[in-house]
Amino acid sequence: MGAFERRHALIFAAAPETEYGYIRAFLKKHPDALIACADGGLRHARALGLHPDFMISDCDSMPEVEGAEVVRLRPEKDDTDTQGCLREVFRRGCTEATLVCATGGRIDHMLANLSLLEEAYAMGGRLTVLDRQNQIVLHEGGCQKFKMPPEYAYFSLVPLDAVLTGVSIENAKYPLRDAVVTRAGMVTISNEAIADSFSVTIREGRSLVIFSRDWTRVL
Amino acid sequence: MGAFERRHALIFAAAPETEYGYIRAFLKKHPDALIACADGGLRHARALGLHPDFMISDCDSMPEVEGAEVVRLRPEKDDTDTQGCLREVFRRGCTEATLVCATGGRIDHMLANLSLLEEAYAMGGRLTVLDRQNQIVLHEGGCQKFKMPPEYAYFSLVPLDAVLTGVSIENAKYPLRDAVVTRAGMVTISNEAIADSFSVTIREGRSLVIFSRDWTRVL
């Protein structure tokens, strides 16, 4: 049994972040979250007054390290610090993680972070990517029911694969029934739940489900 | 022949944007660009002192319209304003476009904007998505040579499809030869050209090529 068994990990990546309100809200709901930092993500954790339980670092964007457990990586490696951090906390027993400070700045890093949703699933776990306007999860296939988080206005289906088949959306403003949805020309953006939950069925193909809100609605 | 034949379109989407320096730099290089606005993108064009040649609007995020030609859409439709804008300027003769103010804010919108890279290609044209840290193009398949833009530090290969086969990267710090690259666990982030150009070959599968720079390098 890993040292972090059954802990929900809050992973700080190192993308630029200007607003921490959404992380404070997460911590209120998950006061026992394991605090994990990927390299420069430590700056964000410190800004929130948090002491990391776990840190992984190649010291290329931040010379300092801090944490109850610290793993050092060589700077020149195939994967990003955030990929390494997710793998390590899962290896130590976490099966659920929320990744923050992961969407601003470099889009290659952001898309690599979104690819972790698939990687977490392949590892038998579950990841949520969170920022001030978005909450992103992976559709796990088949028929999946989602509770619409009340702080979001929209949900979107964003195909990862070029073609999704057998797509049905129920309890939504724009329902679908056994449809084909393509990545190019995607038509499944800005849907709305008509009750407090909705369901999405996908027979074939991988997709993200993104809850989002316009920024003006947050202010 | 469409009215915009041979014009390079600069398309303003409506995502939050705090910095316009990269758009000014683009306009210096493309003083004759056709200025196209998708709905609230008009705010950004105005902030730069530009008068749109073309505007498409469903009036849901901006009540005003302005432009030599204006197309009105109904607010409840399947595609986003930005998707509609790209299709319309291409229909009028543009075959090359650069999309700005398209990456901040809602990630569902951002990913829908990235899907336009594939849609532009399917329409026989070419799109670049640009922001202050990133320049994103679609790999068009086969062997493609890229000039490394001097203002960027890195290039990344971000697979769109789950698996890319026959991937070779030449003239780069981290070369590859006939490799398999997967979307989950992607290992092709933060490569560097070792000369002023590099080449990427992909036998099977669709990928983005992203030029990026750390924000500290921009300041």
Side-chain angles (χ1 to χ4, degrees), chain A residues 76 83 105-108 115 118-119 133-134 154 156 160-161 173-174 183 185-187 190 212 214, chain B residues 76 78 83 105-108 115 118-119 133-134 154 156 160-161 173-174 183 185-186 190 212 214:
Chain A
E76 303 204 343
Q83 288 172 324
R106 280 177 53 183
I107 289 173
D108 53 348
S115 80
E118 290 183 271
E119 201 168 332
Q133 281 186 260
N134 307 279
Y154 312 103
S156 296
L160 292 171
D161 290 323
K173 190 171 175 184
Y174 308 104
R183 185 173 61 207
M186 58 179 78
V187 294
S190 292
S212 63
D214 296 318
Chain B
E76 303 205 342
D78 284 344
Q83 288 172 325
R106 281 176 54 184
I107 289 173
D108 53 349
S115 81
E118 290 183 271
E119 201 168 332
Q133 281 186 259
N134 307 278
Y154 313 102
S156 296
L160 292 172
D161 291 321
K173 189 170 175 183
Y174 308 104
R183 185 173 63 208
M186 58 178 79
S190 293
S212 62
D214 295 319

Side-chain angles (χ1 to χ4, degrees), chain B residues 154-194:
Chain B
Y154 313 102
F155 77 89
S156 296
L157 214 65
V158 174
L160 292 172
D161 291 321
V163 180
L164 308 180
T165 61
V167 179
S168 297
I169 302 177
E170 283 178 66
N171 283 329
K173 189 170 175 183
Y174 308 104
L176 276 182
R177 193 180 181 99
D178 198 19
V180 171
V181 173
T182 56
R183 185 173 63 208
M186 58 178 79
V187 293
T188 44
I189 302 296
S190 293
N191 211 332
E192 294 171 45
I194 53 175

Side-chain angles (χ1 to χ4, degrees), chain A residues 27-93:
Chain A
L27 285 165
K28 264 194 193 162
K29 283 188 207 157
H30 301 85
D32 297 328
L34 178 101
I35 307 300
C37 294
D39 205 23
L42 176 60
R43 281 192 198 93
H44 298 304
R46 282 180 173 170
L48 280 152
L50 299 169
H51 177 69
D53 298 290
F54 180 79
M55 179 168 179
I56 197 163
S57 173
D58 61 12
C59 297
D60 77 342
S61 75
M62 178 122 189
E64 295 166 70
V65 293
E66 177 186 336
E69 187 182 354
V70 173
V71 171
R72 286 179 184 273
L73 303 170
R74 61 186 168 83
E76 303 204 343
K77 56 191 170 355
D78 284 345
D79 48 11
T80 69
D81 296 329
T82 310
Q83 288 172 324
C85 191
L86 179 81
R87 283 173 204 151
E88 289 299 317
V89 299
F90 271 39
R91 208 168 63 81
R92 284 164 173 73

